[in-house]
Amino acid sequence: MVKLADRFDSWAPITADDAALEKALASANIPALMCALVHLTGDAGIIRGAIKPRSEFMGDPQGGISEADQAAVRAQALDALKAYRDGAQSLPPAPGLAVLREMIDFIAGQPLPEHYGPFLMGELGLDQEDAYAQPALFAVEEGKRANFHVLIIGAGMSGLLAGYRLKQAGVPFTIVEKNASVGGTWFENTYPGCRVDSPNHTYSYSFAPNDWPQHFSAQPVLLDYFRQCAEAMGVLPNIRFNREVEAARFDTETQQWVLSVKSPEGAESFAGDALITATGQLNRPRMPEIEGMDRFQGPSWHSAKWNHDVDLTGKRVAVVGTGASAFQFVPHVAKQAAKVTIFQRTPPWVSPQAHYFEPIEDGKHWLLQHVPFYAKWFRFSQFWSTSEGLLGSVRREPGFENRDDAVGQANDELRAMLTEFIHEMLGDRPDLVEKVTPHYPPAGKRMLVDNGTWYQTLKLPQVEVLTDRIARFTPTGLQTESGAAHDFDVVIYATGFHASKIVWPMAIYGRTGENLQDLWDGDPRAYLGITVPDFPNFFMTYGPNTNIVVNGSIVFFSECEMRYILGCLALSMERQQSLAVKHTVHDRFNEAVDEANSQMAWGAPHVRSWYKNAKGRVTQNWPFTLLEYWNRTRAPAPEDFDFFSPEGPAQKRA
Ligand code: NAP
C-alpha cells in the first residue's frame, strides 16, 4: 500500500544473511549505493576517490564505472551492511550540507552550478522539508483558509495532487470528475501494452514513493497507484464522479466561479472562490478527417477508447498512426491478428532502453526497502539522468549548418546514435530501414522509448508498414493515394489528442465575459502555463507550454504548479481579492517562451507534431530547464498580478 509523506526513515531492519546481502548487492545501482554508504558509514571519502560516475555515460545507470570498480564498491558495501546489521542498526551523524552538495555533484557526474543546490536538495528530500509544499498557505489564518472553497476539475494525477495539498492546508475543495473513477489518463487508456515511458521512480509523487514492480510499469499498476494515493490522501469523499463540466463562469459581483455540470441526474452547479483545472493536455482523442470514415462497416475505435469487446484473433487490422500509443499496442495486436497494416505518415525516433519491459529484480527491491537512503539516491539519480542532461542535445546550436535532420552538433550525434539503433535492429531489412528512419531532428516529435520490440514487430510476416497516404475509406477498408485498395476487419486510430485545445471543450468565461476558447482561438497561452490575464483565481495544471520532451517527469511539473497555485490562493485569502496575472507579465513571458521554443528541435519549421498548434506555434512545450520552472514556481510575486474586489453589493459566500 502506498504511504504518504513517508519521507525519511522508511527502511526496514536488515536481517538477511551474508549470502542474501551479496545477492542483493549484485543488482545495485553503484552511484546510488556509494551515496548510501556515506550515510551508512559517515565516511565521505567513499565518493572522493577515483571511482565515480561520469556525465558522458548518463545513459548507463552505472555512469561508466568499470566492472572491477563496481565489484570493489559491492565488497565495501557488503562489509558496511554486515556491520550495520550486526550492530545497533543506527546511523552515524548525518552528512552536513556541504557533503550532501558534494554527493549531488557526484551523482550528476559533474560539478553543478551553486544555484542548483536548493532545487536538487529539495528534490532529494533529505532535509525533512516538503519541497513542493507552499509555506505561505500555512501562514494564512486558519479561519480564512477554512472559509475559502476551491473547485478542481479532474481527478487524475494533477487533480488528486491539488486535492491533497488543499486538504493538508485545511482548505475546503470539491473535485468534479467526468469518469467513474480517479486516474485520468491511466483510467481512460486501457489499450494493450499501455505503460509509462518515464522512469517510474520519478513518475510518482515526491511524497508518495512506491516500490514499483517495473522500471516502466504497465497501466494497471499506474492506475492502482493513483487509486491507492487517492485513498491515502483522503480526498475521495470530495470527488463528485460521473459529472462533466460544460462551462465555468466568473461572477464579478461575488468573485466566485460557478460551474455548469452535466450529471447523471441532469444539470448541477458548483460554486467556489477559485478554480483549478486538472484536465491534462492529452485527454480528448483526436480522430483524423479522412473521406468516408463513417462508410467503413467493420468496428473501428480510437486507441484511448479501446473496444475490448472485439476479439482481434485472426482479424485483418489497420492501424492509423505511429505515435506513442500505436507503438505500445501494435506488438500486442500483432500477436493475435492475422494481419496488421500500419499506416505511417511520419516515423518516430526511438530511444533504446534495455530495461523497458523488465521487472525490477528482487535484489533491487531489497536494496530500495532496506538500505538507508538508497531509495532516495536511486530516485535522485533517475531524476537527474532524465532532467537537464539531454536538453543541450535538442537545442539549436548557433552556426550549425541548416539541415532538416539535426539542429546542432549534439543533436546530430544523438541522431547518429538513434540511427545506429535502427540499423542494429533492422540491418537485414533495408526496406524497413528506409521507411522508419526519420528525416527530422531527434526530439522534433516525441521520442519513443523501447528495447527494440517495435522494430522486431515490424519484421513479423503478418505486419506491414505502408507509407502511402490514406485517400478514403470504403465499406470494406480503404484506398490509398496510389489507388491501391485494402480490405480490413477492424480499423484502430492511434491519431493522438486535441493537445492544443487546452481545457477544451469547456467554455470558461472570465471577468470580461469572454470565453477563453474564443480568446485563445486555438493558440493557448498563459503565464507559467498557470494563470491568464482577466481570468481571476483561475489556475491550470499542465496548461500551455508546460509539457516536457526530454527532461523531467510531468509529475514534477504538476508539483511545481501546485506549489505556485497554493501561493496564489494564499494571496487571495489574505487580501480577500481575486487575482490574475498582468497582461504585461504574461506577454513578456510568452515572448521569451516562443523565442526559446524556436531554438529547440521541436520548434524547427518543417516539423509537425502535437507540440504545435494549427498555426505552427509551439503551444505545448517548456523550452527551458527544470531548474527554471522550479525557481519560477516557488512562490508568486504579488507585483505580477492584478487584484479584483467584488463589484456591486453582492456578498461573498458565507
Ligand atoms: P501522437 O503522438 O499524436 O501520434 C499520432 C499519430 O497519428 C502520428 O503518427 C500521426 O502522424 C498519425 N496521424 C494523425 N493523423 C493522421 C492521418 N490523418 N493520417 C495518418 N496518420 C495520422 O498520438 P499518441 O500516440 O496517442 O501519443 C500522444 C502523446 O501521448 C505522446 O506523445 C505521449 O506524450 C503521450 N503518450 C504517452 C505514453 C507513455 O507514456 N507511455 C503512451 C501513449 C501516449 P504524424 O506524425 O505524421 O502527424
Side-chain angles (χ1 to χ4, degrees), residues 124-144:
L124 190 53
L126 289 183
D127 52 5
Q128 306 232 39
E129 291 280 324
D130 184 350
Y132 299 94
Q134 179 51 266
L137 185 58
F138 290 94
V140 175
E141 190 190 304
E142 204 179 322
K144 285 186 182 165

Side-chain angles (χ1 to χ4, degrees), residues 24 35 59 144 197 204 220 231 241 244 338 392 414 439 450 477 489 496 536 552:
C35 288
K144 285 186 182 165
D197 66 0
S204 40
E231 198 163 310
F241 289 108
E244 181 162 359
L414 181 59
H439 298 289
D450 192 26
D489 302 308

Side-chain angles (χ1 to χ4, degrees), residues 486-544:
H486 302 265
D487 282 350
F488 296 107
D489 302 308
V490 176
V491 176
I492 305 175
Y493 296 98
T495 44
F497 299 86
H498 288 284
S500 279
K501 295 183 173 179
I502 295 203
V503 301
W504 180 82
M506 294 183 292
I508 297 183
Y509 301 95
R511 60 179 280 274
T512 62
E514 193 166 8
N515 183 352
L516 188 57
Q517 301 297 347
D518 297 337
L519 180 78
W520 278 342
D521 189 22
D523 198 4
R525 289 162 202 260
Y527 178 60
L528 300 173
I530 297 173
T531 155
V532 181
D534 292 325
F535 286 74
N537 281 12
F538 168 72
F539 308 103
M540 289 173 284
T541 57
Y542 207 2

Side-chain angles (χ1 to χ4, degrees), residues 211-261:
D211 190 11
W212 297 101
Q214 292 183 278
H215 297 281
F216 301 86
S217 301
Q219 172 264 339
V221 176
L222 270 299
L223 179 58
D224 193 45
Y225 171 78
F226 287 110
R227 282 185 168 152
Q228 287 189 37
C229 284
E231 198 163 310
M233 290 166 171
V235 299
L236 287 170
N238 299 57
I239 308 179
R240 308 301 308 273
F241 289 108
N242 297 311
R243 283 160 171 80
E244 181 162 359
V245 176
E246 294 184 316
R249 268 170 215 284
F250 183 72
D251 183 330
T252 52
E253 282 196 10
T254 61
Q255 295 283 300
Q256 287 213 311
W257 279 95
V258 180
L259 302 183
S260 307
V261 174

Side-chain angles (χ1 to χ4, degrees), residues 191 195-197 282 286 288 290 303 320-326 328 343 345-346 356 445-446 494-497 608 610:
Y191 60 78
R195 64 176 59 236
V196 66
D197 66 0
L282 301 162
R286 195 183 71 82
I290 302 174
S303 58
V320 185
T322 50
S325 300
Q328 293 188 326
F343 290 89
R345 202 162 63 176
T346 321
Y356 191 48
K445 287 170 179 285
R446 167 91 167 178
T495 44
F497 299 86
R608 180 185 53 185
W610 66 263

Side-chain angles (χ1 to χ4, degrees), residues 152-169:
I152 300 163
I153 307 177
M157 179 273 286
S158 299
L160 294 176
L161 170 70
Y164 172 61
R165 290 301 190 191
L166 292 169
K167 194 172 166 76
Q168 272 186 322

